[in-house]
Amino acid sequence: MPTSGSTTDPRALITDLAAAIGARHTRTDEDTLAPFLVDERRRYHGAALAVVSPADTVDVATVVRLCGAAGVAVVPQGGNTGLCGGATPLSDVPSVVLSLRRMREIRRIDRLGRTITVGAGATVAEVAGTAAEAGLLFPLSFGAEASAQIGGALSTNAGGTNVLRYGSARALTLGLEVVLADGSVARLGRGLRKDNTGYDLKHLFVGGEGTLGVICEATLALFPPARQRATAMATLSGGRPPAPATGSPATGAPESDGAASAAGAGAGLEVLGRLLDASDGRVSACEWLSPTTRRLACAQPGGARDPFGPGAESLLLVELTSGQAGEDLRRLLEEVLGDALADGLIGDATVADGSAAAERLWQVREAAAEKRAGGSIKHDIAVVPARTPDFLAQATAAVEAILAGVRVNAFGHLGDGNIHFNLLAPPGADPHVLFDSEDLLTGAVFDVTESLGGSFSAEHGIGQRWRGELARRKPPAALDLMHRIKAALDPAGVLNPGKVL
Amino acid sequence: MPTSGSTTDPRALITDLAAAIGARHTRTDEDTLAPFLVDERRRYHGAALAVVSPADTVDVATVVRLCGAAGVAVVPQGGNTGLCGGATPLSDVPSVVLSLRRMREIRRIDRLGRTITVGAGATVAEVAGTAAEAGLLFPLSFGAEASAQIGGALSTNAGGTNVLRYGSARALTLGLEVVLADGSVARLGRGLRKDNTGYDLKHLFVGGEGTLGVICEATLALFPPARQRATAMATLSGGRPPAPATGSPATGAPESDGAASAAGAGAGLEVLGRLLDASDGRVSACEWLSPTTRRLACAQPGGARDPFGPGAESLLLVELTSGQAGEDLRRLLEEVLGDALADGLIGDATVADGSAAAERLWQVREAAAEKRAGGSIKHDIAVVPARTPDFLAQATAAVEAILAGVRVNAFGHLGDGNIHFNLLAPPGADPHVLFDSEDLLTGAVFDVTESLGGSFSAEHGIGQRWRGELARRKPPAALDLMHRIKAALDPAGVLNPGKVL
């Protein structure tokens, strides 16, 4: 997209960028560049002419304009915590990494309107911390929140553990300032709760992964703070052998991993339904761990401790929160779990006594997401909640048919139908046997997901990783629409090429 | 956008439509056409070659394709209750009205996932009624809900009285089936709570007013039902003369309408903040009536009754709802209002004793929105809540400077910063004096709104009515983006031309 004063010499571009943004913030030396050219998990490696760190939106616009004129790609990068390579430049496309890290200013808090306006480079944890100081809650919360930046969190429509109650990043976005591919600046939404003056364009950039524009500033929704919290963990009845169907072997046959997971998830959904109903929807987290995940998460000496000791059932972690002072959330939780116990949905339960005990329950969930020796193949799927048991049974059977003994480390946000269906090599096997079958295994998991009307990327996005899957699995009319939008907004392909589409 | 078999003869088009959709559902006679050519308030009048009523999405696609091939515009129409002429065809563009009324099937309810899937022609009230039968809440609620259809409510991103707690129509939309301008069918979202496989395109069609595609089916979010409800009305301290500032006249000078409204709204916002805080955000409605609106609403013999008798203060109507059984919402409301009374924020308050009493309080709010003899100039603006008092003071002063004695019938959704700022002729004056100054008055109201960073159409949309204002007031970068999207999705301008853009 050449503009006036266009140039095609990369050295000239660097000179222009340094003149505009400052030499200190336009770096080309290998050591400085290195961390920007690889993702946090070291799965994606790329190359760049420079990394530039603009001070403000005007700077960002200048960078995009200069790069566009030079025919050089702009790759926006926040905290670099993404899981799909969306912020890593390609190796074979001349690129500049645009780091938003200097634009971390908290611009303002509107206590009456319950909003916060921040630069894209502020971390998710900083935003939540500033909101908390003002007596308000910013609910977005996920593993990488300490280093993930708001711009990246919005660009990937981040999810996490509070989506059930507060929605994904998208639901929290009331306004954006975006630099477009031609270097123009669009303010979309103004922190208003209602604005029907034309198309709601901000939703193109939330989840757009930097391919349609660069998010520079955001106005985000805040909520009354959680003044009390009740957290519990329970074993789900899925560990028991199911009642034998006519013609099936008598009792005693060990239940398959998939069947146990499916039954556990089904029981967990029933408990969740009761909790939502009893608490007026104030369930802020409903996390589920399969039997295998439970075992793995609590296997490390000195790591997370299984509150029930070793067992073959799935685990459910639920948390209620309220900003209301006089309520007894703990009693409510105990009542619902007591009934669930009486009805055989859960086998055992513990309600955390104080925040340290709650923290210990959360450690079990967090341990589920930890890196495993030898590596794993990660999938982040979603189906409508009612289909979760079918998904678990069918997907487990499908991967077991491809690689006997494969371990399914499945856990996730049960209330959203969002399962992290991660695969590990069979016990004792060389990890290569797993990765040798990666395409087959992933294809099988996604085929099951698709047949159940689900999503093959619920919260992690597309990036580089799932670009082929998107082209293959997205319904043609929707995919064609995406291409038309990309062509309309970035005809020269300046912004984050090779990602998403 | 001519396709194969294209034709330019309107008679041939009607023959083709009748063959495809059925002659019974392809009407060209004047009597049948008439109600489709004028909006409910009889402000906009247009012409059409025919009104067609397809049975399903395939039919809709056929209609769009045939019309596109013939160079005839398609004007989607739901319940025809819009306020901006968005569903009325133009007079000077060959058009076919596409009525969705036959596509009213409730397709399915997912109790576990808390969603409902419906045809675009189902009314808002039908959807809410079906959800209620299944023990769930569909919270979208506004004056025209009995005849407004879901397709139109989503296409205009309808708001109403429950937005504060549950969001606008957009926030409730989990999936759409849309027919595009080329007759292709896109399924966007599948009722999933999480899906990050590419751009979230459904948000282009929610609030797109039928200019980008025709919504044929929607999957919508449901919530736990409200099992208890506490409703109260209070007078806001804005009716008292403010403390005289140094140098201002001593006491006794009557406070201006704008100053009283501003002070009342400010007090109302403070009460709302306390209620949100105390109730964990479970305020489902927070409606405000200016002193003038209060007077007008309760002036009709046999109409709404002012619970406090005549008075010069603004009124606040608040409602808390909960799906939780054991709570005492009434006590909570009484406590907050008691403190507000002690702090001088409110002058008097009444908490409804039972649903009949609550209904009587709502009648006051509903009377505020009734048609006024002689007509009014309606404005539907939004600012961030903290700016509401400024807006009321400045906008009232601005219109009084243009037309002495003009009556400001201002009321609305205080919690969203959304004020219906409607103007009536001075008492006893010919209504023409009002409408003769319409452009000046509206320009002044919108100038104030714009200077406060607000929206000139908070929930009613653009349609035909505010097209000029959009072109004039939308920031150029955002407007240019809208044009690019429209050109990318509907290059030939088949869908609802002359609306929005």
Side-chain angles (χ1 to χ4, degrees):
Chain A
M1 193 190 315
T3 58
S4 60
S6 75
T7 163
T8 49
D9 178 359
R11 284 166 307 179
L13 171 65
I14 304 302
T15 307
D16 290 350
L17 288 171
I21 312 302
R24 268 186 67 206
H25 306 298
T26 306
R27 305 295 292 268
T28 58
D29 55 298
E30 215 171 295
D31 287 357
T32 305
L33 275 180
F36 294 92
L37 306 181
V38 59
D39 68 305
E40 201 182 50
R41 296 198 309 151
R42 312 194 75 76
R43 285 291 181 91
Y44 303 94
H45 299 264
L49 304 170
V51 55
V52 294
S53 305
D56 55 25
T57 301
V58 172
D59 272 5
V60 174
T62 302
V63 172
V64 171
R65 211 158 26 227
L66 289 172
C67 288
V72 168
V74 174
V75 181
Q77 190 173 107
N80 201 15
T81 62
L83 296 171
C84 298
T88 307
L90 302 182
S91 299
D92 52 358
V93 173
S95 302
V96 162
V97 172
L98 173 67
S99 168
L100 281 302
R101 62 184 169 166
R102 288 173 68 209
M103 293 167 58
R104 66 196 304 152
E105 196 189 347
I106 306 283
R107 303 267 162 83
R108 58 186 170 277
I109 285 202
D110 175 352
R111 293 204 75 248
L112 203 55
R114 301 179 307 288
T115 65
I116 188 167
T117 300
V118 302
T123 66
V124 172
E126 281 168 351
V127 175
T130 307
E133 283 166 25
L136 289 162
L137 172 73
F138 179 62
L140 195 63
S141 176
F142 52 94
E145 64 195 24
S147 46
Q149 295 172 12
I150 280 294
L154 298 190
S155 293
T156 55
N157 185 28
T161 53
N162 287 331
V163 172
L164 181 61
R165 177 157 180 192
Y166 297 100
S168 299
R170 179 183 307 286
L172 308 174
T173 306
L174 297 176
L176 292 180
E177 186 175 73
V178 178
V179 168
L180 304 172
D182 61 2
S184 60
V185 178
R187 291 203 65 90
L188 307 169
R190 291 155 285 190
L192 301 172
R193 300 278 171 169
K194 283 183 174 176
D195 182 13
N196 278 350
T197 56
Y199 311 147
D200 194 338
L201 300 165
K202 63 179 181 292
H203 290 293
L204 290 175
F205 304 96
V206 178
E209 302 193 28
T211 63
L212 299 177
V214 183
I215 294 175
C216 293
E217 183 188 284
T219 299
L220 303 160
L222 303 176
F223 295 84
R227 293 205 181 80
Q228 55 167 327
R229 182 180 305 271
T231 312
M233 191 167 263
T235 63
L236 292 162
S237 59
R240 301 175 191 169
T246 315
S248 69
T251 53
E255 192 180 26
S256 78
D257 209 44
S261 284
L269 284 167
E270 173 64 28
V271 175
L272 171 63
R274 295 178 180 197
L275 267 176
L276 286 169
D277 213 38
S279 70
D280 199 29
R282 281 175 301 169
V283 184
S284 47
C286 177
E287 302 291 304
W288 169 83
L289 285 73
S290 69
T292 298
T293 300
R294 175 186 181 184
R295 219 158 35 234
L296 290 165
C298 301
Q300 299 297 326
R305 201 181 65 82
D306 191 322
F308 310 104
E313 304 100 342
S314 312
L315 292 181
L316 184 73
L317 173 69
V318 287
E319 190 160 272
L320 303 181
T321 50
S322 173
Q324 204 168 331
E327 280 190 296
D328 197 344
L329 288 181
R330 190 191 158 98
R331 195 174 51 86
L332 192 156
L333 191 50
E334 283 170 350
E335 278 174 12
V336 172
L337 292 176
D339 289 347
L341 199 68
D343 296 343
L345 292 167
I346 63 178
D348 204 350
T350 175
V351 179
D353 200 1
S355 59
E359 189 47 43
R360 281 194 294 277
L361 298 182
W362 273 104
Q363 280 166 10
V364 179
R365 167 63 179 84
E366 281 149 17
E370 273 166 19
K371 268 191 186 170
R372 304 285 157 211
S376 68
I377 301 174
K378 290 187 196 296
H379 305 106
D380 164 45
I381 70 91
V383 289
V384 299
R387 294 295 183 93
T388 315
D390 289 343
F391 167 78
L392 290 167
Q394 294 175 28
T396 304
V399 296
E400 284 172 346
I402 292 167
L403 179 61
V406 64
R407 286 172 298 164
V408 177
N409 182 29
F411 60 94
H413 316 296
L414 188 64
D416 311 317
N418 177 196
I419 302 295
H420 299 302
F421 193 83
N422 299 344
L423 305 180
L424 301 165
D430 186 316
H432 283 300
V433 306
L434 182 73
F435 292 102
D436 288 349
S437 302
E438 180 162 3
D439 289 350
L440 273 177
L441 291 165
T442 292
V445 172
F446 287 180
D447 284 348
V448 170
T449 307
E450 195 173 323
S451 76
L452 296 171
S455 165
F456 64 86
S457 190
E459 55 179 18
H460 295 169
I462 302 297
Q464 305 179 37
R465 185 171 188 203
W466 300 128
R467 201 179 158 212
E469 294 293 339
L470 186 83
R472 201 171 303 126
R473 296 183 185 272
K474 196 82 176 173
L479 190 64
D480 175 59
L481 263 184
M482 288 180 60
H483 279 289
R484 281 194 262 167
I485 300 286
K486 172 70 176 174
L489 267 63
D490 182 18
V494 173
L495 295 173
N496 214 6
K499 316 299 170 60
V500 185
L501 287 172
Chain B
M1 193 193 310
T3 59
S4 61
S6 73
T7 165
T8 48
D9 178 359
R11 282 165 308 177
L13 171 64
I14 303 303
T15 306
D16 289 351
L17 287 170
I21 311 303
R24 269 186 66 205
H25 306 298
T26 306
R27 306 293 294 266
T28 57
D29 54 298
E30 214 171 296
D31 286 357
T32 306
L33 276 179
F36 295 92
L37 305 182
V38 58
D39 69 305
E40 200 182 51
R41 295 199 308 151
R42 312 194 75 77
R43 285 291 181 92
Y44 304 94
H45 299 264
L49 304 171
V51 54
V52 293
S53 306
D56 56 26
T57 301
V58 172
D59 271 4
V60 173
T62 302
V63 171
V64 171
R65 211 161 23 229
L66 288 172
C67 289
V72 168
V74 174
V75 181
Q77 191 175 105
N80 201 14
T81 62
L83 296 171
C84 299
T88 308
L90 302 183
S91 298
D92 52 358
V93 174
S95 303
V96 162
V97 172
L98 175 65
S99 168
L100 279 303
R101 64 183 168 163
R102 288 174 67 207
M103 293 167 59
R104 66 196 304 153
E105 196 189 346
I106 307 283
R107 303 267 162 83
R108 59 186 169 275
I109 285 201
D110 176 352
R111 293 204 75 247
L112 204 55
R114 301 180 307 287
T115 64
I116 188 168
T117 300
V118 302
T123 67
V124 172
E126 280 167 352
V127 176
T130 307
E133 283 166 24
L136 289 162
L137 173 73
F138 179 63
L140 195 63
S141 177
F142 52 92
E145 63 196 25
S147 46
Q149 295 172 12
I150 280 294
L154 298 190
S155 292
T156 55
N157 186 27
T161 52
N162 287 330
V163 173
L164 181 62
R165 179 158 180 192
Y166 298 99
S168 299
R170 179 183 306 286
L172 307 175
T173 307
L174 296 176
L176 291 180
E177 186 175 74
V178 178
V179 167
L180 304 173
D182 62 2
S184 59
V185 178
R187 291 202 65 88
L188 306 169
R190 290 153 287 189
L192 300 171
R193 299 279 170 168
K194 283 181 172 176
D195 182 12
N196 278 351
T197 55
Y199 312 147
D200 195 338
L201 300 166
K202 63 180 179 290
H203 290 293
L204 290 175
F205 303 96
V206 178
E209 303 194 26
T211 64
L212 299 177
V214 182
I215 294 175
C216 293
E217 183 188 284
T219 299
L220 304 160
L222 302 177
F223 295 83
R227 292 205 182 80
Q228 53 169 328
R229 181 181 304 271
T231 312
M233 190 167 262
T235 64
L236 292 161
S237 60
R240 300 175 191 170
T246 316
S248 70
T251 53
E255 188 180 31
S256 79
D257 208 45
S261 283
L269 284 167
E270 173 63 27
V271 175
L272 172 63
R274 294 176 180 199
L275 266 178
L276 285 170
D277 214 38
S279 70
D280 198 29
R282 281 177 299 172
V283 184
S284 45
C286 176
E287 303 291 307
W288 169 85
L289 285 73
S290 68
T292 297
T293 300
R294 175 186 180 184
R295 218 158 36 236
L296 290 165
C298 301
Q300 299 299 326
R305 201 182 64 83
D306 192 323
F308 310 105
E313 304 101 341
S314 310
L315 292 181
L316 185 72
L317 173 68
V318 288
E319 189 160 272
L320 303 181
T321 51
S322 173
Q324 205 168 329
E327 281 190 297
D328 197 345
L329 289 181
R330 190 190 159 100
R331 195 173 52 86
L332 193 156
L333 190 51
E334 282 170 350
E335 278 173 14
V336 172
L337 292 176
D339 289 348
L341 199 69
D343 295 344
L345 292 167
I346 62 178
D348 203 351
T350 175
V351 179
D353 200 1
S355 58
E359 189 47 43
R360 282 193 294 275
L361 298 182
W362 273 104
Q363 280 167 10
V364 179
R365 168 61 180 83
E366 281 149 18
E370 273 166 18
K371 268 192 185 169
R372 302 284 158 213
S376 69
I377 302 174
K378 291 187 195 296
H379 305 106
D380 164 45
I381 70 92
V383 290
V384 299
R387 294 296 182 91
T388 315
D390 290 344
F391 167 79
L392 290 167
Q394 293 175 30
T396 303
V399 296
E400 284 171 347
I402 291 167
L403 179 61
V406 64
R407 286 172 298 165
V408 177
N409 182 27
F411 60 95
H413 316 296
L414 188 65
D416 311 316
N418 177 194
I419 301 293
H420 299 301
F421 193 83
N422 298 344
L423 305 179
L424 300 166
D430 187 303
H432 284 298
V433 306
L434 181 73
F435 292 103
D436 287 349
S437 301
E438 179 161 3
D439 289 350
L440 272 177
L441 291 164
T442 293
V445 172
F446 287 179
D447 284 348
V448 169
T449 307
E450 194 172 325
S451 76
L452 296 170
S455 165
F456 64 86
S457 189
E459 54 177 20
H460 295 168
I462 301 298
Q464 305 179 36
R465 183 169 189 204
W466 301 125
R467 203 179 157 211
E469 294 293 337
L470 186 84
R472 200 171 303 125
R473 296 183 185 271
K474 196 83 176 171
L479 190 64
D480 176 58
L481 264 183
M482 286 180 60
H483 278 290
R484 281 195 263 167
I485 300 287
K486 173 68 177 177
L489 268 62
D490 181 18
V494 173
L495 295 173
N496 215 6
K499 316 298 169 60
V500 185
L501 288 171

